[in-house]
Amino acid sequence: MSTSVSPLAPKSYPEMPALRGVRMATAAAGIKYKNRTDVLLMVFDQPAAVAGVFTRSKCPSAPVDFCRGNLPRGEARAVVVNSGNANAFTGAKGRAATQLTAQSAAAAVGCSEDQVYLASTGVIGEPLDATKFAGVLGDMHVQAQPGFWQEAAKAIMTTDTYPKVATRSTEIGGVPVTINGIAKGAGMIAPDMATMLSFVVTDADIDAAVLQALLSAGVEPTFNSMTVDSDTSTSDTLMLFATGATAADGQDRVTTADDPRLAGFRAALNDLLKDLALQVVRDGEGARKMVEITVTGAETDQAAKRIALSIANSPLVKTAVAGEDANWGRIVMAVGKAGEMADRDRLAIWFGDVRVAVDGERDPHYSEAAATAVMQQEDIPVRVDLGLGDGSATVWTCDLTKEYVAINGDYRS
Amino acid sequence: MSTSVSPLAPKSYPEMPALRGVRMATAAAGIKYKNRTDVLLMVFDQPAAVAGVFTRSKCPSAPVDFCRGNLPRGEARAVVVNSGNANAFTGAKGRAATQLTAQSAAAAVGCSEDQVYLASTGVIGEPLDATKFAGVLGDMHVQAQPGFWQEAAKAIMTTDTYPKVATRSTEIGGVPVTINGIAKGAGMIAPDMATMLSFVVTDADIDAAVLQALLSAGVEPTFNSMTVDSDTSTSDTLMLFATGATAADGQDRVTTADDPRLAGFRAALNDLLKDLALQVVRDGEGARKMVEITVTGAETDQAAKRIALSIANSPLVKTAVAGEDANWGRIVMAVGKAGEMADRDRLAIWFGDVRVAVDGERDPHYSEAAATAVMQQEDIPVRVDLGLGDGSATVWTCDLTKEYVAINGDYRS
């Protein structure tokens, strides 16, 4: 397991501004290991509007089921996130554990269970002893403080090599609004799988239904456009909370998704989601390079995305990137296998600004040296134009290295 | 690039029986390297009925296009297979190269160009100098001999670590019939992609249309049910030829696909295709283990297959296999991400005969030692039952090791 920070980690971390309406605390509850911080509690003293997007896995974890059950109410007073145990594939015991965790949180915070949200990451298939939460949540509720963003991001790390935070400032109707977010993912606990968790909070006053529309649209070109190894976890969770504190500053509540006042907020939210999503990709196991794949000229945006993901998930493309090999032949292969309409004789491919293929064959001015120079960068842009239509999409991934194999295969459960 | 024979290679090679109606020769034409055997010529002195199945890639190679163009005629007199250059993504020059190769073969063999079939494997995107064939095909046609199966299999190898041959004996209407096959694949030439080529010949007297029906049905549970790394090449080619020599023994020509006399032949052909397909999987880059994944209880056979391929193509499952880790949690994840109907609470999972999960959670009698013992085998059976219906499928794959990454990323083009 890698213990050094990813070479692709951000060079500096932002100062996280205060955000009214939320308090946080962390604790060591001994979920899996003693003396390891493994629980995060977020408290909204006034109910926050809430939206969520979860894994599409047909085998979702018990916490994912639990959150989906509460989302129709659209109100959050507490979020409990634990590492050490994903409470996934745990059957009836897993459901009981979520119920008990919610009861403990509701009792500690003074709310109802349908105002509680849960997320878990860690071991699969081991029952989660939810009685451990009861021992810490009461104190955590008392001690929870505003700020604490870096600590919260650290608390939810598993084998992430760095905590992931992001912040954006924007406005609604001229009233300043803040959005803060934390994420974890692409790190792995042996023998489990990458789980992507992200929690974003804003002080804006926005209805839950509007939040959901913003989040569902915002997740597509961000978290849903990145892949480390194509292995979608049972537990992926992205949640957005609005505390409404800016109502006190004169921000009138936003109640419809097409409110023109949302333009700045929407852009800032999407930019923050992209920031966090790229931080997750950059922490991919064994990653030393990040690849941005843009497909243009497809029949539809959806086709462009499928082709982009076919390239991003190709082991042969990813190992070539690891080897700094400007191997456009494998890009051709990945376009061809995607199953979407593609005219081989119209394909054009660029690494960075270096066009390596055009009209279905190698570029007549192809320069191996120029293409290789691009491959030696840490951030590698790849573009494919299909020449068929207007569909386009951008996805991000990382290279496939021996360290990925070592992290995921070199030890026993 | 690995130079030692795969640890999964067959322990012995079959004696390939004589098969009337076909002659073969190999030569060093200098396609890419001097003094390397890189061309195979198969000659059918009497036209053979022919069927073919090709890559579904949207970017097929020029030889694949060429073969598809001739298939409606259904007659073969010559097959030219070269290594060193895949003649893929070569635009108009690539098409011209196939025309020239076909002309050279037709001239050498004394047939028409639509009776010629071509396959190429090797470098992508480099024009193929087809004039090199003219220099050798004439002599090859004169020297071509019956037998020569092992030599033919060797001639089409690229970075395969062993030649792949298979044979089956069967009968049609009581008349003995032989089926011989060769294949190459899972080996890689840097910087290109795995291309799977296979040529199967029988002395039976069977119409082209019937051959096509047999082949199209036979490829599904065999070559189309194995994956090394999910990267489908531009050039995959599987062809079946029937020389009709057994007509002289009293075998009446088979003219319809539902002819009851075909039962034994169909079974033998499918068994041979499976034999060759498994040999290809066992030669996967860096492979040290072969995994057979069976999914039962799915809604449909198609759903079962998609789920099985989701498991077989999961980097996390494959690295766990490499690490001999009985990681059924990752199997759950791969089932969940397949997108097919699955009821998490009905899933059951076995490694070999060891049931590790049932009714959506870890098996109460789970034995880590027993499961691990299965993972230490070279051939690892994995079974998943979904408990939803009757759909089932079996696919094969190999583990994902550091050597795969080394072979595919450690060198420059």
Side-chain angles (χ1 to χ4, degrees):
Chain A
M1 198 172 5
S2 172
T3 48
S4 54
V5 177
S6 164
L8 307 177
K11 303 290 181 276
S12 64
Y13 296 99
E15 190 78 26
M16 295 295 281
L19 197 149
R20 293 161 296 164
V22 62
R23 301 184 292 125
M24 292 189 280
T26 61
I31 300 296
K32 186 174 185 187
Y33 302 110
K34 300 269 172 250
N35 302 319
R36 178 180 290 195
T37 302
D38 54 14
V39 184
L40 163 69
L41 173 68
M42 292 177 119
V43 181
F44 307 99
D45 291 314
Q46 296 303 315
V50 57
V53 176
F54 306 93
T55 180
R56 288 197 188 108
S57 171
K58 299 288 187 187
C59 301
S61 66
V64 165
D65 282 347
F66 181 86
C67 288
R68 282 187 169 130
N70 283 355
L71 219 45
R73 178 166 178 177
E75 258 185 30
R77 286 265 283 117
V79 185
V80 180
V81 184
N82 76 277
S83 59
N85 188 314
N87 196 12
F89 208 63
T90 40
K93 293 199 193 83
R95 286 188 282 282
T98 60
Q99 292 303 326
L100 182 53
T101 307
Q103 282 165 24
S104 302
V109 161
C111 67
S112 60
E113 283 154 47
D114 62 2
Q115 294 174 311
V116 174
Y117 286 83
L118 308 175
S120 302
T121 176
V123 176
I124 292 272
E126 301 270 343
L128 170 64
D129 178 4
T131 63
K132 293 182 173 174
F133 293 110
V136 298
L137 287 175
D139 286 346
M140 291 173 83
H141 177 242
V142 169
Q143 289 155 15
Q145 49 180 300
F148 221 60
W149 294 94
Q150 286 276 358
E151 290 78 4
K154 284 184 192 149
I156 63 173
M157 281 170 61
T158 50
T159 57
D160 305 54
T161 70
Y162 58 92
K164 301 171 176 72
V165 299
T167 182
R168 293 293 185 276
S169 297
T170 181
E171 54 73 37
I172 293 179
V175 177
V177 152
T178 301
I179 317 174
N180 285 350
I182 62 174
K184 65 83 58 179
M188 289 269 307
I189 295 181
D192 308 313
M193 64 215 53
T195 287
M196 202 288 298
L197 300 181
S198 182
F199 306 95
V200 179
V201 188
T202 178
D203 51 6
D205 196 10
I206 302 176
D207 268 2
V210 178
L211 273 191
Q212 189 65 53
L214 286 166
L215 191 67
S216 298
V219 76
E220 263 324 299
T222 60
F223 283 106
N224 282 353
S225 289
M226 59 94 170
T227 171
V228 170
D229 56 9
S230 83
D231 277 334
T232 306
S233 130
T234 54
S235 310
D236 293 339
T237 297
L238 165 62
M239 306 208 68
L240 172 60
F241 304 90
T243 68
T246 54
D249 304 333
Q251 188 235 310
D252 291 330
R253 166 170 287 205
V254 176
T255 58
T256 59
D258 54 7
D259 189 325
R261 292 181 294 148
L262 277 179
F265 183 90
R266 181 180 290 107
L269 174 67
N270 290 354
D271 203 58
L272 178 138
L273 294 176
K274 179 176 169 182
D275 186 328
L276 288 172
L278 291 191
Q279 289 190 53
V280 171
V281 172
R282 290 178 187 285
D283 212 6
E285 279 87 14
R288 287 193 299 270
K289 293 182 181 289
M290 195 193 73
V291 191
E292 176 180 273
I293 296 156
T294 302
V295 173
T296 56
E299 284 196 310
T300 62
D301 289 349
Q302 212 175 17
K305 188 157 186 187
R306 282 195 209 113
I307 291 171
L309 284 172
S310 179
I311 298 168
N313 284 323
S314 158
L316 287 171
V317 169
K318 292 154 69 75
T319 48
V321 173
E324 298 185 334
D325 174 12
N327 196 322
W328 51 272
R330 293 185 189 180
I331 307 286
V332 173
M333 174 276 297
V335 169
K337 76 162 179 162
E340 295 296 328
M341 192 59 214
D343 184 339
R344 173 195 59 202
D345 297 331
R346 292 187 195 234
L347 273 189
I349 300 172
W350 293 255
F351 287 120
D353 294 325
V354 181
R355 193 175 68 182
V356 296
V358 65
D359 294 337
E361 48 186 65
R362 192 175 67 183
D363 192 296
H365 305 296
Y366 178 73
S367 159
E368 173 75 36
T372 299
V374 175
M375 301 308 290
Q376 288 168 340
Q377 298 167 179
E378 265 187 4
D379 287 4
I380 299 174
V382 175
R383 179 155 93 89
V384 176
D385 188 85
L386 300 181
L388 296 177
D390 295 321
S392 68
T394 299
V395 306
W396 296 272
T397 188
C398 54
D399 53 344
L400 172 58
T401 64
K402 287 175 205 163
E403 201 186 354
Y404 176 92
V405 178
I407 290 169
N408 290 309
D410 267 9
Y411 46 70
R412 303 288 314 290
S413 55
Chain B
M1 201 174 0
S2 173
T3 48
S4 54
V5 177
S6 164
L8 307 176
K11 303 289 181 275
S12 64
Y13 297 98
E15 189 79 25
M16 296 296 282
L19 198 148
R20 292 161 297 164
V22 62
R23 301 184 292 123
M24 290 189 282
T26 62
I31 301 293
K32 186 175 185 186
Y33 301 110
K34 299 269 173 251
N35 302 320
R36 178 180 290 194
T37 300
D38 54 14
V39 184
L40 164 68
L41 172 68
M42 293 177 118
V43 182
F44 305 100
D45 292 314
Q46 296 303 315
V50 57
V53 176
F54 306 93
T55 179
R56 289 200 187 105
S57 170
K58 299 287 187 189
C59 301
S61 66
V64 166
D65 282 347
F66 181 86
C67 289
R68 280 185 170 131
N70 283 355
L71 219 45
R73 176 166 179 178
E75 257 184 31
R77 287 265 282 116
V79 185
V80 181
V81 184
N82 75 278
S83 59
N85 188 314
N87 195 13
F89 208 63
T90 41
K93 292 200 193 82
R95 286 189 283 282
T98 60
Q99 292 304 326
L100 183 53
T101 308
Q103 283 166 24
S104 302
V109 163
C111 67
S112 60
E113 283 155 46
D114 63 0
Q115 293 175 310
V116 174
Y117 286 82
L118 308 175
S120 301
T121 177
V123 175
I124 292 272
E126 301 268 345
L128 169 65
D129 180 4
T131 63
K132 293 183 173 173
F133 292 111
V136 297
L137 287 175
D139 286 346
M140 291 174 82
H141 176 242
V142 168
Q143 290 155 15
Q145 49 181 302
F148 222 59
W149 294 94
Q150 286 276 358
E151 291 78 4
K154 283 183 193 151
I156 65 174
M157 282 169 61
T158 50
T159 55
D160 304 57
T161 70
Y162 59 91
K164 301 169 176 72
V165 298
T167 182
R168 295 292 186 277
S169 297
T170 182
E171 53 74 38
I172 293 179
V175 178
V177 152
T178 301
I179 317 175
N180 285 350
I182 63 176
K184 63 84 58 179
M188 288 271 308
I189 296 180
D192 308 315
M193 62 213 56
T195 288
M196 203 287 298
L197 300 181
S198 182
F199 306 96
V200 180
V201 187
T202 178
D203 51 6
D205 196 9
I206 302 176
D207 268 2
V210 177
L211 272 191
Q212 189 65 55
L214 286 165
L215 190 66
S216 298
V219 75
E220 264 324 300
T222 60
F223 283 106
N224 283 352
S225 289
M226 58 96 170
T227 172
V228 170
D229 56 11
S230 83
D231 278 336
T232 306
S233 132
T234 54
S235 309
D236 293 338
T237 297
L238 165 62
M239 306 209 69
L240 171 61
F241 304 91
T243 69
T246 54
D249 304 332
Q251 187 235 307
D252 291 330
R253 165 171 284 199
V254 175
T255 58
T256 59
D258 55 5
D259 189 324
R261 292 180 296 147
L262 277 179
F265 182 89
R266 181 180 291 107
L269 173 67
N270 290 354
D271 203 57
L272 177 137
L273 293 176
K274 179 176 168 183
D275 186 327
L276 289 172
L278 291 191
Q279 289 191 54
V280 171
V281 172
R282 290 178 187 285
D283 213 8
E285 281 86 13
R288 287 194 300 269
K289 291 179 180 294
M290 196 194 71
V291 191
E292 177 180 273
I293 296 156
T294 302
V295 173
T296 56
E299 285 198 309
T300 63
D301 288 349
Q302 210 174 19
K305 188 157 187 187
R306 284 197 206 111
I307 291 170
L309 284 172
S310 178
I311 298 168
N313 284 325
S314 157
L316 287 170
V317 169
K318 291 153 71 76
T319 48
V321 173
E324 297 185 334
D325 175 13
N327 195 322
W328 51 272
R330 293 184 188 181
I331 307 285
V332 172
M333 174 276 298
V335 170
K337 75 161 178 162
E340 295 296 329
M341 192 59 214
D343 184 338
R344 174 195 60 201
D345 297 331
R346 291 187 195 234
L347 274 188
I349 300 171
W350 293 257
F351 287 120
D353 293 325
V354 181
R355 194 175 67 184
V356 297
V358 65
D359 294 337
E361 49 186 63
R362 191 175 68 180
D363 190 296
H365 304 297
Y366 177 72
S367 159
E368 172 77 35
T372 299
V374 174
M375 301 308 291
Q376 288 168 339
Q377 298 167 177
E378 264 186 4
D379 287 5
I380 299 174
V382 174
R383 179 155 92 89
V384 176
D385 187 85
L386 301 182
L388 296 175
D390 293 322
S392 70
T394 298
V395 305
W396 296 272
T397 189
C398 54
D399 53 346
L400 172 57
T401 64
K402 289 176 206 164
E403 200 186 354
Y404 176 93
V405 178
I407 289 169
N408 291 308
D410 266 10
Y411 48 70
R412 301 289 314 289
S413 60

